[in-house]
Amino acid sequence: MLENRFLLLGLTFFLALKPCFSRAPYATRISCGARDDVRSSPANTFWYRDFAYTGGIPGNATRPSFITPMLSTLRIFPLTEGPENCYNINRIPHGHYLVRIFFGLVLEPSFDDEPLFDVSVEGTLAYSLQSGWSNHDDERAFFEALIFLKDGTASLCFHSTGHGDPAILAIEILQIDNRAYYFGKGYGQGMIFRTDRRLSCGAQGPKYGVDYSADSWGGDRFWNSIPTFGQGSDRVISTKNTIKETSQSPNFYPEALYQTALISIDSQPDLAYTMDVEPTRNYSLWLHFAEIDPSVTGAGQRVFDVLLNGDVVFQDVDIYARAGDIDSALVLNTTVAVSGRTLTITLHPTKGTHAIINAIELFELVLAESKTLPDEIRTLQKLKSALGLPLRFGWNGDPCVPQQHPWSGVDCQYDRTLKKHVIAGLGLDNQGLRGFLPSDISRLQHLQSINLSGNGITGPIPASLGTITSMETVDLSFNFFDGSIPENLGRLTSLRLLNLNSNSLKGKVPDTLAGRLLHGASFNFTDNAGLCGIPGLPTCGTHLSAGAEVGIGIGACLAFLLIVTGSVCWWKRWQNILQTPRMAARDAPYAKARTQFNRLQMSRQSSHENNSRAATEEEPSLLCLINPSASRFDVINTS
């Protein structure tokens, strides 16, 4: 019972994991220039519309090769839009991918209209189109590479070389097994496998993986056919027998690939094939074998050496012995450094009379370049927007790589500590720029020089510029910068040249900057009508600093408010004073009565005193008659 429970638990766990193992690989196919999703014949392949990936303009396409997908549109990148144009494809799961780019032609171009340009993947120059590519029905109609994508994006860029405008018909990004084409030490560590060619020996025509009913985890690989190595040196053999050890992880080679082969003949026992390659490059070679010759029934009946440019790389190869049976696949892989322009594969029999081969794969090993710090790339993109950089500058992709195509006006350095490229200089003088210099410029912490002279840039000089401690040269002359000079520019101890002349700056030159003059720095502040404070500029007696001007302005506002408040108070007091007589006039009867009463009292007192004097001095007496209705006293002499 307990064993059954464990068995049931194990089965449940397996069923839970099964979707993870059987899920379909990630795939994105883009029909460049298409306004709607489309499907192409003959396999009814689905292609996404081309929306929000890049710039350029859509156009009608002419297929340059019969192996090109049957799509009717493409995207053109005119040189007027810049020398670098990129497809930036996001939300790609971490993994190993086959990336394929199909080139296109606009209508039927003459030879002079055939576009020639460079292709980079994730900042690494991986391919250059050669003249005449559009006249061949082979791998030259597209670019293909195997690469690990680790940051959720794929950047595919096209760099103009001055011969025609790049035109892209379609893009495929197909997930493959993470250990596909494993070659040993260094695998997956900054290496791109560029497909040079895939050859199915003895096949009657080129085929894609879908034509072979191949497993989708191998990628929809293209296999060109090679019916003979030439000069009557071989013959084709084939079988319909089942081939063992095929369609297996990690490479998922299709069975049909091993059902045809080329075999040498009696008169020429060596089987040799010569390929044109790029000189001084490293290549990964994959050779495919299966013992499908019915005349071989056991080990030791066919043994041969494999030579590359005359050097033995595999000795005494016995397909039956190594694969373990007839009709069983065997794959041999080696890495070879090629100094010349050709690579010759020779199969030399050492036992028996014939050599045999089923397929050949050749990849160029391209060392991936170190990218630029992502934060500095984002800062340059903000700078591009703030300054209104013209389209002709491009500024797409990575500013420092590929090193053959850096961004115009950008100087780069490789930082061995960070193992990344950094921005060391900006030279954008006399380019007709407008806009402003953003404060984000301070994120370019490795910047040593900046030259924006001779443009029409407005606004203040960002104070954050003074935080870039590595800065040595700053030239912002002949622009329209305004405001004051940031104080912390004087903290740039490495500063050797500062040109701020011919702008609209004002205020006092910071003392910290003036002190830098004593350390051999060269400054130019002329033609700024509002600047003062150092020799060659007006004194600051009549030219106040910006802070002083602000203080005076605030003081003036306060004084004005006090004057207005005092005036209002005085006016109200004066109004009160003016209203007092009016109030007295309203109270007049009461005031008169009071006056008469007071005078009567005074009169009586006076009469009493006079009578007393009359009695003693015998003076005439006076009679004071009071008329209540009168406002005066009537005095009568009674003597």
Side-chain angles (χ1 to χ4, degrees):
M1 180 66 70
L2 184 61
E3 292 180 355
N4 290 338
R5 287 183 179 178
F6 277 118
L7 181 61
L8 181 60
L9 181 62
L11 180 61
T12 303
F13 180 72
F14 174 76
L15 292 176
L17 290 180
K18 187 176 180 181
C20 298
F21 294 125
S22 60
R23 69 178 179 85
Y26 173 90
T28 288
R29 292 180 169 92
I30 302 171
S31 177
C32 300
R35 292 180 171 85
D36 299 294
D37 298 340
V38 297
R39 292 186 178 272
S40 64
S41 301
N44 199 34
T45 304
F46 179 82
W47 301 84
Y48 288 104
R49 64 186 177 130
D50 187 2
F51 177 74
Y53 294 113
T54 184
I57 56 176
N60 295 321
T62 296
R63 296 169 62 211
S65 169
F66 73 90
I67 65 173
T68 303
M70 299 180 68
L71 301 171
S72 60
T73 61
L74 47 64
R75 184 164 290 275
I76 312 164
F77 297 101
L79 187 57
T80 54
E81 293 198 2
E84 291 86 35
N85 290 276
C86 303
Y87 268 85
N88 296 300
I89 304 168
N90 300 318
R91 299 181 181 178
I92 299 177
H94 175 100
H96 197 195
Y97 289 88
L98 180 150
V99 177
R100 187 157 49 215
I101 302 169
F102 289 95
F103 311 126
L105 297 174
V106 181
L107 299 177
E108 289 291 343
S110 64
F111 177 80
D112 291 337
D113 294 328
E114 181 185 53
L116 305 178
F117 52 93
D118 292 341
V119 178
S120 67
V121 178
E122 291 294 285
T124 297
L125 183 64
Y127 188 64
S128 298
L129 275 76
Q130 301 298 318
S131 179
W133 66 266
S134 60
N135 297 323
H136 294 80
D137 286 325
D138 57 17
E139 295 91 338
R140 278 171 281 194
F142 63 84
F143 158 82
E144 182 184 286
L146 309 180
I147 185 172
F148 281 92
L149 298 176
K150 301 179 180 179
D151 57 2
T153 64
S155 178
L156 312 176
C157 298
F158 316 105
H159 310 273
S160 299
T161 57
H163 195 296
D165 297 325
I168 308 301
L169 183 82
I171 293 174
E172 292 181 289
I173 301 178
L174 310 176
Q175 188 176 14
I176 59 176
D177 193 285
N178 279 343
R179 290 180 63 83
Y181 293 98
Y182 177 81
F183 62 87
K185 184 179 179 180
Y187 174 78
Q189 298 179 7
M191 191 70 67
I192 297 175
F193 266 42
R194 183 190 68 81
T195 306
D196 188 90
R197 68 197 69 196
R198 288 192 180 93
L199 303 173
S200 179
C201 301
Q204 297 303 306
K207 294 182 179 180
Y208 283 96
V210 66
D211 302 318
Y212 281 128
S213 299
D215 193 299
S216 56
W217 273 102
D220 191 17
R221 288 167 289 195
F222 173 75
W223 298 88
N224 209 346
S225 62
I226 181 166
T228 178
F229 287 164
Q231 300 178 347
S233 61
D234 50 40
R235 61 185 177 89
V236 177
I237 63 171
S238 62
T239 184
K240 293 184 179 179
N241 295 341
T242 299
I243 306 298
K244 297 178 283 294
E245 304 299 326
T246 61
S247 299
Q248 294 183 352
S249 176
N251 292 335
F252 297 96
Y253 291 118
E255 179 186 38
L257 189 67
Y258 300 91
Q259 292 177 324
T260 62
L262 289 176
I263 190 169
S264 61
I265 59 178
D266 293 339
S267 59
Q268 296 188 33
D270 284 356
L271 197 59
Y273 177 66
T274 299
M275 299 176 283
D276 293 331
V277 295
E278 293 295 324
T280 63
R281 308 287 175 88
N282 293 325
Y283 288 87
S284 181
L285 179 66
W286 299 71
L287 303 175
H288 300 263
F289 305 95
E291 193 53 83
I292 62 173
D293 185 355
S295 65
V296 175
T297 58
Q301 297 179 20
R302 189 196 313 277
V303 181
F304 55 89
D305 293 339
V306 179
L307 295 82
L308 297 179
N309 285 345
D311 298 326
V312 177
V313 292
F314 298 108
Q315 191 171 12
D316 295 332
V317 177
D318 186 332
I319 301 172
Y320 184 99
R322 293 199 182 195
D325 200 356
I326 61 171
D327 298 331
S328 187
L330 171 67
V331 182
L332 300 179
N333 163 244
T334 188
T335 301
V336 56
V338 180
S339 57
R341 292 186 172 274
T342 59
L343 175 62
T344 300
I345 304 170
T346 303
L347 308 180
H348 173 67
T350 58
K351 192 173 183 180
T353 57
H354 305 100
I356 188 173
I357 189 168
N358 297 77
I360 299 171
E361 290 181 286
L362 184 67
F363 299 92
E364 180 187 349
L365 298 179
V366 181
L367 184 63
E369 296 194 50
S370 297
K371 297 183 181 180
T372 306
L373 280 176
D375 193 41
E376 298 204 354
I377 297 177
R378 289 190 289 268
T379 299
L380 288 183
Q381 291 291 0
K382 290 182 179 179
L383 187 67
K384 172 184 176 180
S385 176
L387 294 178
L389 220 63
L391 289 175
R392 55 185 168 81
F393 274 82
W395 277 34
N396 296 305
D398 191 296
C400 300
V401 292
Q403 296 184 39
Q404 299 88 340
H405 298 283
W407 285 4
S408 178
V410 176
D411 295 328
C412 301
Q413 284 185 356
Y414 181 72
D415 190 305
R416 296 185 180 277
T417 302
L418 299 173
K419 295 184 179 179
K420 295 283 187 180
H421 284 90
V422 296
I423 308 303
L426 292 175
L428 299 172
D429 52 306
N430 299 299
Q431 298 298 331
L433 306 182
R434 298 293 185 268
F436 64 97
L437 188 59
S439 59
D440 293 77
I441 190 74
S442 62
R443 293 184 178 273
L444 301 178
Q445 279 296 309
H446 304 86
L447 201 63
Q448 298 175 21
S449 66
I450 180 172
N451 187 351
L452 300 177
S453 63
N455 290 294
I457 305 171
T458 59
I461 298 173
S464 60
L465 195 65
T467 66
I468 308 176
T469 57
S470 57
M471 190 72 77
E472 298 178 0
T473 301
V474 176
D475 192 343
L476 306 180
S477 59
F478 296 97
N479 279 286
F480 298 99
F481 286 103
D482 54 28
S484 60
I485 300 175
E487 181 78 25
N488 60 0
L489 285 186
R491 300 173 186 171
L492 300 178
T493 57
S494 299
L495 195 62
R496 294 291 176 266
L497 175 67
L498 177 63
N499 287 343
L500 301 180
N501 53 294
S502 301
N503 278 286
S504 300
L505 301 171
K506 59 184 178 180
K508 183 180 178 182
V509 175
D511 294 334
T512 52
L513 273 180
R516 298 297 306 159
L517 291 170
L518 302 176
H519 294 82
S522 175
F523 297 162
N524 190 343
F525 302 119
T526 59
D527 295 328
N528 286 280
L531 281 183
C532 64
I534 63 171
L537 297 178
T539 60
C540 292
T542 57
H543 294 79
L544 300 176
S545 65
E549 290 181 351
V550 171
I552 291 174
I554 294 174
C557 291
L558 291 175
F560 176 75
L561 290 174
L562 288 173
I563 292 172
V564 171
T565 303
S567 299
V568 171
C569 293
W570 176 87
W571 181 81
K572 285 186 172 293
R573 184 174 180 83
W574 178 249
Q575 291 296 317
N576 291 335
I577 294 172
L578 293 178
Q579 289 177 1
T580 300
R582 298 193 187 104
M583 294 176 62
R586 288 197 301 268
D587 297 335
Y590 171 78
K592 290 179 181 179
R594 291 278 301 181
T595 302
Q596 291 173 357
F597 177 78
N598 289 337
R599 289 180 179 177
L600 178 60
Q601 293 293 329
M602 292 172 63
S603 176
R604 288 177 177 175
Q605 184 177 2
S606 176
S607 298
H608 177 73
E609 291 176 354
N610 290 335
N611 291 332
S612 298
R613 272 198 299 282
T616 56
E617 297 179 4
E618 296 182 355
E619 292 182 353
S621 61
L622 298 176
L623 179 60
C624 180
L625 298 180
I626 301 174
N627 185 358
S629 63
S631 59
R632 65 183 189 345
F633 292 101
D634 293 326
V635 180
I636 303 175
N637 189 338
T638 60
S639 58

